[in-house]
Amino acid sequence: MPEMTFARAIDFALETAMERDERVVTFGEDVTMLRRDLFVRFGPSRVRQAPISEAAFLAAGVGAAMAGLRPVVEIMLVDFIAVAFDALLNQATKVKAFSGGKWNVPLVVRASCGGGYGDAGQHEQCLWGLLSGMPGISVVVPSNPKDAAGLMLSSIECDDPVVFLEHKLLSDYWLDYLGLGGRETVSFDVPEAGARGEVPSPPVPVPIGKGIKVREGGDLSIFSLGVSLHRCLEAANQLEDYGIKPAVIDLRSACPLDRELIVSSASRTGRVLVVDEDYAGYGLSGEVAALLAESGVKADFARVCTEEVIPYARRLEDEVLPNVRRIREAAVRLCALSP
Amino acid sequence: MRPDPEDLYRRMARARFCEEALSALWERGLISGEMHLGAGEEAVAAGVTAHLEEGDAMALDHRSTPPLVARGVDLVALFLEMLGHEEGLCAGKGGHMHLFSRDLLSASSGIVGSSAPLGCGFALAAQYLNPGKVAVAFFGEGAVNQGMLLEALNLAVAWKLPLVFVCKDNRWAITTRSREVTGGRLARRARSFGMPATRVDGTRVEKVWEAAGRAVERARAGHGPSFILASCPRLQGHFLGDPLLRVFREPLRQTLEIGPPLLRSLFSRPLTALASRVPRLGTIGKTIALLGVERYVLERDPLQRSAALLTEEARRRLEEEARREVAEAVERALETAGRREENA
Ligand SMILES: Cc1ncc(C[n+]2csc(CCOP(=O)(O)OP(=O)(O)O)c2C)c(N)n1
Ligand SMILES: [Mg+2]
């Protein structure tokens, strides 16, 4: 299996899909440069530069998908989707239901997300909770190159709208553009296992809505995704010193959730910790709790999430985003509840 | 009314030296995130802010430091903010894309296009609470394709708001040449909404000053909004560390990074497509070359151009004062931030 970066893995999957299917096109701001390799290979009719008009070109993606294309529309940073929200909330996700199931929207929205490089809360949000709140959408959040390629392939093959989120701390070019700028005077806590790794060639689809247990343990179940998943694994190592062995589950999709995996792991350990870089309220962590309650699973529950607007100062940001210390402390507290 | 060249130049010089200081702090790793400098926009900032008085508002985009500095924001607080310090302008929580000064009724945002509707709101409040006061919205030419900005143009006319739209046309939106994704002409577009629109050379502060004077006067008199399209350069690329400018600064390293994957695409199957792919490689090359030519050959520095309005003695004195003021502010900020030892 070739080794590649997280970012390359995504484009590799997109390239594979474009090679296989003429209907796959991609458009967005600056794609001639951002996707220059694809641009050279497939040309401007399939890799199309857009003006700063997200509301129009995302909604155009909906129309194009309805009329036979399979567009992968790029919203540079997921934060910017706010200006184009109608395209998802009231158009893309309504078509299938309103047409009585007779018309579907095979649209992929590709956006970078996440923080950890001091860009503050207009550019570092995750928003998968907000996006997942709409019936009719899937939201995927890979944590490593293999899943990134596999989920991109599945997203393109999916006949309904999917939001594909690419964490900037894992994507070398985003981090270089937005964080490093070629400097050697700054550094970021990049999880190596997420930023680079082996990817099957051609990529193997990873099913949307399927999580995976990445660490065995019987004391508690930690559910996470994206960069936080790596923070959880680091915390899990430290927890060994406390005599705590957590199971760590990479949800991989924020929506739909892998109900079976969540229920089975939580039932076994009786303790659940959700670590979510997205906002604490009205989101993924609450959804996991609701799912467990609905399934009749009795488990002690805690969460480590982002609770406020992400501040600019890096030392403040480090505390606001889920970090290893907060995860470890939450796990220890949780295990002390019912020794 | 005649412009005061010394006042205008002072505003510009202070703004420029602040941008240079920010660049140095950024290089040292003391500023995080995407640092978009407004170097090249000083004449626009100075020519517009010279007409503003207490109670007037500014809605700013991601290059918000020159208008704030030209208008007199506290420099130590500004630098402390950039350093992420709790005594900064926004307690270290906003940073360079989200600078807020309630005193100056000025707010910036990193969401492209958002300054225009925000400016409408500032102008609405002025119209209602403080007749005679005005608002200014600054944005780039790329932002004029943003839906909310176009809606704001109409809203301002429909409500006859005391607002001046200032479009800083540096011809680029990150790596995109704006004309390639923009229909029609921007001044005409603005005029079609029913407001006066003026094109000015934004590197000539006296021209900006004149155009802004007419627009502000119109707004103060309650006659509604105007649009100023000011051409200006983007002297430091899109943001500090701009990868496209790095192609010129470190050609070998960047070519080694960008080249191999491009070649792989060029020669991927089917090879019969090679002939159509070569021109696409040309498109990318042309964009980079154009950026370089504009930046290193054609660009005119507004400070140099405006210096012609002054005697050599006055220019030197104003620059010296501004340089000293900025250096002292940086020094005090670094001292406060306890990072002085790195100052060497
Ligand atoms: C809604 C939104 N879309 C995209 C971006 C990313 N972005 C930041 S600056 C920029 C280019 C803006 O171009 P222009 O308005 O001409 O201003 P300039 O940077 O040239 O000063 C883009 C696309 C953003 N910040 N917000
Ligand atoms: Mg521009």
Side-chain angles (χ1 to χ4, degrees):
Chain A
M1 272 197 287
E3 207 187 84
M4 53 182 90
T5 62
F6 184 83
R8 172 62 198 147
I10 299 169
D11 279 1
F12 176 48
L14 179 53
E15 187 174 356
T16 306
M18 290 180 81
E19 190 183 329
R20 287 178 187 163
D21 186 345
E22 290 274 332
R23 297 170 303 166
V24 179
V25 298
T26 187
F27 49 84
E29 290 150 34
D30 296 292
V31 292
T32 308
M33 280 297 163
L34 282 173
R35 309 290 157 234
R36 54 185 176 264
D37 304 338
L38 298 176
F39 174 79
V40 166
R41 180 157 185 193
F42 299 107
S45 61
R46 297 184 69 192
V47 181
R48 193 181 286 252
Q49 190 102 316
I52 309 174
S53 309
E54 289 91 352
F57 71 73
L58 185 54
V62 178
M66 291 172 71
L69 292 179
R70 300 189 82 90
V72 177
V73 181
E74 274 209 36
I75 300 290
M76 265 183 185
L77 274 65
V78 72
D79 316 69
F80 310 156
I81 213 162
V83 306
F85 215 47
D86 177 70
L88 290 185
L89 180 65
N90 278 325
Q91 312 306 329
T93 53
K94 297 293 190 277
V95 173
K96 194 166 194 173
F98 283 168
S99 69
K102 291 177 185 160
W103 211 347
N104 59 306
V105 182
L107 169 75
V108 179
V109 181
R110 171 187 185 171
S112 69
C113 73
Y117 60 97
D119 221 4
Q122 245 177 17
H123 290 71
E124 290 201 322
Q125 298 169 100
C126 290
L127 303 185
W128 49 67
L130 181 71
L131 294 164
S132 296
M134 309 176 222
I137 208 163
S138 303
V139 182
V140 301
V141 190
S143 69
N144 60 64
K146 183 164 162 250
D147 288 346
L151 282 168
M152 177 47 94
L153 213 52
S154 298
S155 302
I156 298 172
E157 284 168 5
C158 179
D159 287 328
D160 298 305
V162 182
V163 179
F164 180 100
L165 295 173
E166 170 179 357
H167 202 293
K168 281 165 280 173
L169 228 47
L170 302 178
S171 253
D172 52 354
Y173 67 106
W174 278 126
L175 193 58
D176 180 45
Y177 291 175
L178 309 178
L180 284 171
R183 289 179 290 180
E184 275 157 20
T185 47
V186 282
S187 59
F188 307 107
D189 190 2
V190 175
E192 278 312 315
R196 179 174 264 288
E198 291 188 331
V199 177
S201 173
V204 178
V206 168
I208 295 170
K210 278 271 165 260
I212 187 168
K213 187 178 288 179
V214 291
R215 185 182 170 119
E216 292 287 346
D219 293 330
L220 88 148
S221 306
I222 306 183
F223 299 108
S224 189
L225 74 190
V227 161
S228 292
L229 188 271
H230 299 280
R231 307 285 185 247
C232 292
L233 289 170
E234 211 180 317
N237 281 337
Q238 298 182 6
L239 285 167
E240 299 266 336
D241 296 345
Y242 296 75
I244 298 170
K245 287 192 171 38
V248 179
I249 287 101
D250 184 352
L251 293 168
R252 301 197 289 193
S253 295
C255 175
L257 283 171
D258 190 339
R259 177 177 286 267
E260 219 173 293
L261 182 61
I262 294 172
V263 167
S264 72
S265 186
S267 322
R268 198 143 32 75
T269 59
R271 298 187 187 102
V272 168
L273 175 63
V274 182
V275 179
D276 182 10
E277 191 185 327
D278 199 7
Y279 299 125
Y282 307 90
L284 177 71
S285 55
E287 201 52 42
V288 170
L291 182 157
L292 290 172
E294 284 167 356
S295 306
V297 178
K298 300 251 179 304
D300 290 331
F301 179 89
R303 54 182 163 179
V304 174
C305 309
T306 298
E307 315 237 357
E308 55 182 270
V309 173
I310 305 164
Y312 161 76
R314 292 226 20 225
R315 85 204 128 72
L316 300 177
E317 177 194 27
D318 282 347
E319 279 310 302
V320 167
L321 301 179
N323 60 30
V324 175
R325 181 189 53 77
R326 283 172 62 201
I327 298 167
R328 190 190 62 226
E329 286 173 3
V332 169
R333 267 198 308 274
L334 197 58
C335 290
L337 281 182
S338 49
Chain B
M1 254 212 318
R2 291 173 55 83
D4 173 353
E6 291 209 2
D7 172 64
L8 292 173
Y9 198 76
R10 183 179 298 111
R11 288 173 195 263
M12 290 176 68
R14 293 174 78 251
R16 169 62 56 84
F17 296 144
C18 281
E19 299 300 271
E20 289 178 0
L22 290 174
S23 179
L25 294 171
W26 181 87
E27 287 291 347
R28 289 166 55 188
L30 300 177
I31 293 179
S32 68
E34 309 153 61
M35 181 73 235
H36 308 87
L37 288 189
E41 302 185 352
E42 294 88 351
V44 181
V48 172
T49 56
H51 295 284
L52 300 184
E53 54 189 45
E54 208 182 322
D56 291 340
M58 300 198 296
L60 305 162
D61 70 358
H62 53 291
R63 301 186 200 281
S64 60
T65 40
L68 284 169
V69 171
R71 205 156 166 217
V73 75
D74 183 289
L75 295 188
V76 178
L78 181 74
F79 286 118
L80 279 170
E81 182 61 27
M82 302 297 191
L83 297 173
H85 195 270
E86 60 270 21
E87 288 168 47
L89 186 64
C90 306
K93 296 197 169 183
H96 36 86
M97 274 191 285
H98 325 100
L99 294 169
F100 292 81
S101 167
R102 203 169 178 165
D103 294 342
L104 296 173
L105 260 171
S106 298
S108 54
S109 166
I111 299 301
V112 169
S114 61
S115 60
L118 190 72
C120 285
F122 287 162
L124 177 67
Q127 188 184 54
Y128 187 76
L129 298 172
N130 265 323
K133 299 298 176 194
V134 303
V136 182
F138 290 90
F139 47 85
E141 85 298 331
V144 187
N145 292 320
Q146 182 65 276
M148 64 177 136
L149 195 145
L150 294 167
E151 293 177 25
L153 294 179
N154 182 59
L155 190 68
V157 172
W159 288 355
K160 220 175 178 184
L161 296 174
L163 178 59
V164 182
F165 294 103
V166 179
C167 178
K168 304 162 293 163
D169 180 7
N170 58 18
R171 299 180 299 281
W172 291 86
I174 313 189
T175 69
T176 301
R177 296 180 72 213
S178 289
R179 62 194 290 184
E180 288 174 7
V181 290
T182 303
R185 295 296 183 83
L186 293 189
R188 253 186 253 165
R189 192 187 282 188
R191 241 172 254 136
S192 76
F193 282 94
M195 73 181 110
T198 320
R199 288 180 57 189
V200 292
D201 180 344
T203 63
R204 299 194 43 193
V205 70
E206 73 283 12
K207 300 280 181 205
V208 177
W209 183 88
E210 256 175 54
R214 280 195 303 274
V216 168
E217 197 178 326
R218 182 179 144 87
R220 283 206 204 289
H223 298 315
S226 317
F227 190 95
I228 297 172
L229 180 61
S231 58
C232 57
R234 194 177 73 169
L235 292 177
Q236 292 296 337
H238 178 66
F239 38 39
L240 288 175
D242 188 329
L244 285 194
L245 282 186
R246 269 190 262 155
V247 172
F248 298 93
R249 289 173 182 163
E250 318 165 278
L252 190 66
R253 190 166 143 195
Q254 286 298 100
T255 311
L256 284 178
E257 216 165 88
I258 295 176
L262 278 178
L263 290 179
R264 194 182 49 215
S265 284
L266 192 67
F267 292 111
S268 59
R269 276 171 302 168
L271 274 176
T272 44
L274 192 62
S276 52
R277 286 184 192 144
V278 171
R280 295 171 196 157
L281 203 57
T283 305
I284 291 173
K286 192 178 130 199
T287 304
I288 298 176
L290 267 169
L291 190 105
V293 169
E294 289 197 9
R295 170 63 187 84
Y296 293 106
V297 185
L298 300 178
E299 258 3 338
R300 287 158 315 177
D301 185 329
L303 259 86
Q304 284 167 15
R305 303 202 97 201
S306 307
L309 302 173
L310 302 167
T311 63
E312 182 57 21
E313 181 278 319
R315 183 188 65 80
R316 211 172 302 150
R317 171 171 44 81
L318 291 169
E319 281 187 10
E320 227 158 78
E321 280 169 18
R323 206 184 287 280
R324 190 167 346 107
E325 189 195 350
V326 172
E328 278 170 17
V330 172
E331 178 125 344
R332 277 191 46 207
L334 284 173
E335 224 172 71
T336 307
R339 289 181 169 136
R340 188 131 194 272
E341 62 280 12
E342 297 177 42
N343 207 5

